[in-house]
Amino acid sequence: MASLQLNLKPFRILTPFKYTSSSPSSGTPKWGKIQCSATSNPKKSYNITLLPGDGIGPEVVSVAKQVLNLTASLEGIEFKYQEMPVGGAALDLTGVPLPEETLSVAKQSDAILLGAIGGYKWDANEKHLKPETGLLQLREGLGVFANLRPATVLPQLIDSSTLKREVAQGVDLMVVRELTGGIYFGKPRGFGKNENGDEIGFNTEVYATYEIDRIARVAFETARKRRGKLCSVDKANVLEASMLWRKRVTMMASEYPDVELTHMYVDNAAMQLIRDPKQFDTIVTNNIFGDILSDEASMLTGSIGMLPSASIGDSGPGLYEPIHGSAPDIAGQDKANPLATVLSVAMLLKYGLQEEAAAKRIENAVLETLDKGFRTGDLFSTGMKLVGCKEMGEQVLRSIDSQRLAAV
């Protein structure tokens, strides 16, 4: 297991931690229950909004909530939850992908955990009635403009990567993606006809200086806390929006003399991520490039089912979610990998609540579970132990509980 330092604190358990198993009911799996409690007088209490969403979202969020609860009981923290609909689930329930009440509750919480959004069922809907529109509205409504997406090749999963061992080993990078601007939000946009009468669809890639400056600052600060290297990815040889992007990022570099800044065109960056991913430390880029590059980076790690993300703004609660989709083809079959969502909870604790000791417990538990050879189908290889979503979650819980026993 990788060497990680735990910052353990005194605690008092009132109720022993136990696992109980139950068979899946038809449709949605019924998870094993957790019986645990926090200290009688929790040091801190937080309000968490849960947005399970669609497909495998409810399954992975259920596991992550159990992990969060047990970790809280060991750290003397209390969590209060409010579950709200979003995406396709909200469409079926209310007729819109992001109900006003969901956004209101999310804004009033300390952090938001999102599962996944979308599915074949709603693919034919008009754009304003697609689940993905609800996600864009949620990001915009919360003002979470900076998306942090780490991609680390864990020693236990080197052989799960599609790259050669010598290329994948040691990869540890962070993609800082601008999240509320660019072509996904730019105007004008829509449909029309050109001078020949052909139907056209059009979108606008547009960035204002303040949008570039604020995401660049997050990226420089992130790089400063890592290895001090920042690569800004753009298409400044073609796009005016990228020309402004490069100009503003370059100007800001003078404020961070301890950070080495380089620039790279997005097509080259896509190639370099596969050719030599270890050259990257922190990458900052716009909305659409970040969407693509971070998904590409996920495959360096072996599976998109391993990558968490944190979306933060200047103020207010952050949004934490796995970067994988809703995977409707395996929904309800106990096949999903919950580790990206579990690691998203660790990011929620670390970045959203500044509970670093609690976050470290979860990160260490994930490493220990992988050390023991447990793998969901997306990571499985010969010699490993194939488990489902529920069992993988239970193994993480056992690893967290073993930290308590070790401390005692």
Side-chain angles (χ1 to χ4, degrees):
M1 177 174 169
S3 176
L4 296 173
Q5 295 297 317
L6 281 174
N7 180 16
L8 298 177
K9 300 177 181 178
F11 53 83
R12 180 162 59 94
I13 300 296
L14 299 181
T15 306
F17 175 68
K18 299 179 181 179
Y19 298 90
T20 62
S21 300
S22 54
S23 300
S25 59
S26 58
T28 304
K30 184 178 180 182
W31 305 125
K33 299 177 182 178
I34 302 175
Q35 297 178 8
C36 61
S37 63
T39 52
S40 56
N41 295 302
K43 294 177 292 185
K44 297 178 183 178
S45 178
Y46 300 105
N47 295 314
I48 307 296
T49 298
L50 298 177
L51 306 177
D54 311 318
I56 62 173
E59 301 172 52
V60 295
V61 166
S62 175
V63 170
K65 181 182 176 182
Q66 292 180 2
V67 169
L68 193 57
N69 280 337
L70 179 57
T71 304
S73 76
L74 302 182
E75 289 289 332
I77 300 170
E78 179 185 30
F79 288 111
K80 298 177 181 178
Y81 302 96
Q82 195 157 357
E83 186 173 312
M84 302 298 294
V86 70
L91 279 165
D92 290 349
L93 188 65
T94 69
V96 294
L98 180 64
E100 291 183 9
E101 186 179 1
T102 295
L103 181 58
S104 177
V105 169
K107 285 182 174 180
Q108 295 171 37
S109 63
D110 294 302
I112 303 114
L113 178 64
L114 173 67
I117 282 179
Y120 309 133
K121 179 179 180 180
W122 306 281
D123 280 352
N125 286 17
E126 294 183 38
K127 185 176 183 299
H128 70 286
L129 294 178
K130 286 184 177 292
E132 293 79 8
T133 297
L135 178 58
L136 294 178
Q137 292 171 342
L138 178 65
R139 291 168 176 170
E140 186 175 33
L142 293 172
V144 287
F145 64 84
N147 185 222
L148 307 180
R149 295 190 170 191
T152 302
V153 177
L154 301 177
Q156 301 88 341
L157 299 179
I158 290 177
D159 292 331
S160 297
S161 175
T162 55
L163 299 183
K164 294 178 180 178
R165 170 179 281 264
E166 59 268 25
V167 176
Q169 190 169 22
V171 170
D172 177 15
L173 61 90
M174 176 77 79
V175 177
V176 180
R177 170 190 174 191
E178 199 289 321
L179 201 59
T180 58
I183 201 167
Y184 292 166
F185 293 91
K187 296 179 180 178
R189 61 188 302 151
F191 300 94
K193 291 187 177 181
N194 63 15
E195 60 275 11
N196 297 322
D198 293 322
E199 186 176 7
I200 61 171
F202 55 94
N203 297 85
T204 302
E205 168 74 357
V206 56
Y207 273 104
T209 55
Y210 82 92
E211 293 176 301
I212 301 170
D213 290 354
R214 66 185 183 180
I215 191 65
R217 192 168 299 282
V218 170
F220 275 108
E221 294 288 349
T222 301
R224 173 177 276 175
K225 295 174 183 177
R226 289 173 53 85
R227 299 190 299 276
K229 294 174 61 179
L230 177 62
C231 179
S232 178
V233 174
D234 57 41
K235 193 63 176 170
N237 58 333
V238 176
L239 302 176
E240 283 80 2
S242 280
M243 295 174 191
L244 179 62
W245 179 284
R246 182 171 292 207
K247 174 183 175 182
R248 299 301 301 187
V249 173
T250 301
M251 289 174 60
M252 188 166 291
S254 62
E255 299 180 31
Y256 296 90
D258 53 330
V259 176
E260 176 190 344
L261 173 65
T262 58
H263 300 275
M264 192 175 289
Y265 296 143
V266 64
D267 43 355
N268 186 30
M271 180 183 70
Q272 295 296 332
L273 269 175
I274 300 301
R275 189 188 73 83
D276 181 21
K278 286 194 287 287
Q279 69 181 281
F280 296 106
D281 172 26
T282 305
I283 295 172
V284 63
T285 191
N286 69 12
N287 206 339
I288 189 169
F289 297 162
D291 191 357
I292 297 167
L293 292 179
S294 59
D295 277 11
E296 181 188 6
S298 74
M299 294 313 298
L300 304 175
T301 70
S303 172
I304 199 170
M306 287 299 300
L307 266 67
S309 76
S311 300
I312 58 176
D314 286 326
S315 61
L319 176 66
Y320 302 86
E321 59 180 307
I323 77 168
H324 61 66
S326 62
D329 54 321
I330 62 169
Q333 300 177 41
D334 195 32
K335 293 181 178 180
N337 183 349
L339 293 184
T341 313
V342 170
L343 291 170
S344 293
V345 163
M347 293 188 79
L348 181 156
L349 289 165
K350 182 177 181 179
Y351 293 97
L353 306 180
Q354 287 72 54
E355 298 286 352
E356 295 200 16
K360 187 63 69 176
R361 283 185 185 273
I362 294 174
E363 293 169 353
N364 285 352
V366 169
L367 290 176
E368 183 177 304
T369 300
L370 294 173
D371 273 336
K372 293 177 180 177
F374 294 101
R375 302 288 189 272
T376 45
D378 56 317
L379 296 170
F380 182 72
S381 60
T382 303
M384 298 294 106
K385 304 170 187 176
L386 179 63
V387 296
C389 180
K390 173 186 172 182
E391 177 65 17
M392 181 64 90
E394 289 178 350
Q395 293 301 330
V396 172
L397 290 169
R398 288 190 175 95
S399 292
I400 293 173
D401 200 42
S402 70
Q403 296 174 24
R404 174 181 68 83
L405 297 174
V408 172

